[in-house]
Amino acid sequence: MTYDRIYQVIKQIPPGQVATYGQIARIVGDCSARMVGYALAALHDATDVPWQRVINSQGKISLRPDFGAAEQQRQLLEAEGVSFDSYGRIDLAIYGWPGPLGPW
DNA sequence: CTGATGACGGTGC
DNA sequence: GGCACCGCCATCA
């Protein structure tokens, strides 16, 4: 699985923190954020990957509300202590994942 | 094998 | 700050 690399990085995201697609792509070594997004799109409900902690550079959920996953994602993050603003965005300056090794 | 598509990012206007 | 275009690579028809 080519996405395994991406999943491994996402699994390293600690609770209460979120990471952007670009962040993941950068850590993995692949600059193509699309791969990260597509990797998550291939996920299923029963997965060990905390996909809810992966958001776009805007700090928002890219998923359309059609699937209802966005709502689930928001609830999961709120349960971890991540706060959403009135725009439904996350403050990356606070909850942004610094990286697997710490402050980058 | 070719073409189109997709949970995006960055840059330019 | 928002919108348009390009690139990037795996997957599907």
Side-chain angles (χ1 to χ4, degrees):
Chain A
M1 196 78 177
T2 36
Y3 298 147
D4 188 55
R5 193 76 169 179
I6 299 172
Y7 297 146
Q8 293 300 324
V9 176
I10 297 174
K11 285 182 182 176
Q12 294 177 49
I13 303 176
Q17 289 191 312
V18 294
T20 64
Y21 291 90
Q23 189 82 42
I24 301 295
R26 191 163 187 149
I27 294 168
V28 173
D30 180 11
C31 291
S32 57
R34 287 202 162 180
M35 284 276 59
V36 180
Y38 201 67
L40 294 177
L43 286 175
H44 45 88
D45 295 334
T47 178
D48 297 332
V49 182
W51 56 269
Q52 66 271 19
R53 293 176 193 157
V54 184
I55 53 181
N56 57 14
S57 63
Q58 301 174 46
K60 290 193 302 188
I61 303 171
S62 299
L63 266 183
R64 285 156 51 173
D66 295 17
F67 278 81
E71 195 172 336
Q72 181 182 352
Q73 181 170 14
R74 175 170 173 165
Q75 296 225 359
L76 288 169
L77 292 176
E78 286 182 338
E80 294 180 355
V82 180
S83 300
F84 285 77
D85 59 10
S86 302
Y87 298 91
R89 297 192 300 192
I90 302 172
D91 192 343
L92 294 174
I94 299 176
Y95 304 103
W97 186 36
L101 302 178
W104 190 257

